[in-house]
């Protein structure tokens, strides 16, 4: 069964803090993704990775960085959290195949105060 | 810009009726299409994938793809209150990432 887990369901951080969001998948998927979802704006891709140590910017990478040291783990880092980064953060993974079906984790609702 | 457009709704249907959700896309290179269901406060769940023109059925769900018209739809037969959710349409042009629509809110009334 497909399984993507995220380190926290809810997180509250203060402005300026460094924030780490972790995602782990157990499906041996090559591709991993970080999205944020905001009302009225839909899902927006922040970064993705198609292999260990490889990363590509998505549509809104500013203020974020990522790390993928192992195939199953993809981390999103907010270097200095700001209130406009309050959002639902969703991790997803997919096989490197023509199907490109993405499977999502449960999400982390981050509040920056 | 690779757009996937959906009517935001809400689409309201009575219990037992057919719900029809529609999606159009601008990228003619898109080959694969997906429907996700998202309950309030939860993450998207993949419910249907479709890769070729025509219909694909899975239980009460039927996905329809028309590449000439750049149109994808999802039909839900015998709609149940538990089907009330936001439905996201997504397309892929064989790149890594999916292009998501903003979703259609479906409300099934008892």
């Amino acid at each position: 069964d497909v399984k993507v887990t995220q380190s926290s369901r809810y997180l509250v951080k203060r402005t300026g803090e460094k924030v780490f969001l972790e995602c782990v998948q157990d499906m041996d998927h090559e591709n991993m993704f970080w999205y944020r979802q905001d009302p009225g704006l839909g899902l927006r891709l922040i970064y993705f990775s198609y292999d260990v140590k490889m990363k590509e910017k998505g549509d809104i990478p500013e203020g974020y960085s990522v790390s993928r040291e192992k195939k199953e783990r993809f981390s999103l880092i907010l270097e200095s959290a700001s209130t406009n980064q309050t959002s639902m953060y969703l991790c997803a993974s997919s096989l490197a195949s023509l199907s490109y079906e993405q499977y999502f984790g449960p999400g982390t609702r981050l509040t920056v105060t | 810009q690779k757009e996937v457009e959906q009517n935001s709704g809400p689409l309201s249907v009575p219990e037992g009726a057919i719900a029809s959700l529609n999606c159009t896309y601008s990228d003619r290179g898109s080959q694969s299409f997906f429907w996700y269901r998202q309950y309030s406060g939860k993450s998207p769940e993949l419910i249907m994938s479709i890769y070729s023109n025509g219909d694909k059925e899975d239980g009460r769900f039927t996905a329809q793809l028309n590449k000439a018209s750049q149109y994808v739809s999802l039909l839900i037969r015998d709609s149940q209150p538990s089907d009330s959710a936001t439905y996201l349409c997504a397309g892929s042009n064989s790149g890594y990432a999916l292009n998501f629509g903003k979703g259609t809110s479906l409300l099934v009334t008892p």
Side-chain angles (χ1 to χ4, degrees):
Chain A
D1 199 17
V2 170
K3 190 77 173 188
V4 180
T5 57
Q6 294 182 229
S7 49
S8 306
R9 286 288 283 124
Y10 300 94
L11 208 52
V12 180
K13 296 292 182 180
R14 292 197 179 275
T15 302
E17 279 192 85
K18 191 169 187 176
V19 181
F20 293 87
L21 302 181
E22 273 214 324
C23 175
V24 177
Q25 51 94 4
D26 67 358
M27 287 114 23
D28 202 33
H29 283 175
E30 291 83 3
N31 304 325
M32 296 188 75
F33 307 83
W34 276 107
Y35 295 89
R36 63 178 284 179
Q37 187 175 35
D38 302 286
L41 297 178
L43 279 165
R44 293 182 291 169
L45 181 64
I46 305 171
Y47 268 98
F48 67 94
S49 168
Y50 53 89
D51 201 352
V52 175
K53 297 191 186 294
M54 305 304 291
K55 60 185 179 184
E56 292 284 343
K57 292 180 180 179
D59 300 318
I60 52 163
E62 298 79 18
Y64 303 95
S65 62
V66 290
S67 172
R68 192 164 181 204
E69 297 296 319
K70 293 185 178 182
K71 188 176 184 179
E72 67 272 17
R73 193 177 298 266
F74 192 34
S75 300
L76 179 69
I77 303 152
L78 286 66
E79 296 290 343
S80 178
S82 64
T83 55
N84 63 13
Q85 292 178 311
T86 291
S87 186
M88 170 69 96
Y89 288 88
L90 292 158
C91 175
S93 70
S94 72
L95 279 170
S97 71
L98 289 177
S99 72
Y100 297 105
E101 294 177 346
Q102 288 187 18
Y103 297 91
F104 285 84
T108 295
R109 185 162 294 281
L110 173 67
T111 302
V112 183
T113 63
Chain B
Q1 190 79 358
K2 297 173 183 175
E3 301 270 339
V4 175
E5 300 283 348
Q6 296 181 256
N7 189 318
S8 62
L11 173 66
S12 183
V13 300
E15 185 175 355
I18 296 175
S20 177
L21 302 159
N22 304 313
C23 167
T24 59
Y25 61 94
S26 62
D27 181 8
R28 284 200 169 272
S30 295
Q31 298 293 320
S32 308
F33 298 88
F34 310 92
W35 283 99
Y36 287 82
R37 177 176 62 200
Q38 187 173 23
Y39 293 114
S40 180
K42 303 293 186 184
S43 62
E45 174 193 8
L46 179 66
I47 54 172
M48 290 288 285
S49 305
I50 187 165
Y51 307 104
S52 54
N53 278 330
D55 295 0
K56 179 182 178 183
E57 188 173 317
D58 184 1
R60 295 186 297 113
F61 298 100
T62 299
Q64 299 174 318
L65 174 59
N66 183 325
K67 290 185 178 180
S69 300
Q70 296 177 246
Y71 181 89
V72 192
S73 65
L74 179 70
L75 301 177
I76 306 174
R77 289 181 299 282
D78 188 24
S79 295
Q80 301 296 310
S82 58
D83 294 325
S84 298
T86 296
Y87 289 80
L88 304 175
C89 173
S92 169
N93 64 357
S94 302
Y96 298 106
L98 299 182
N99 298 309
F100 282 89
K102 293 182 180 179
T104 298
S105 175
L106 173 66
L107 178 64
V108 181
T109 55

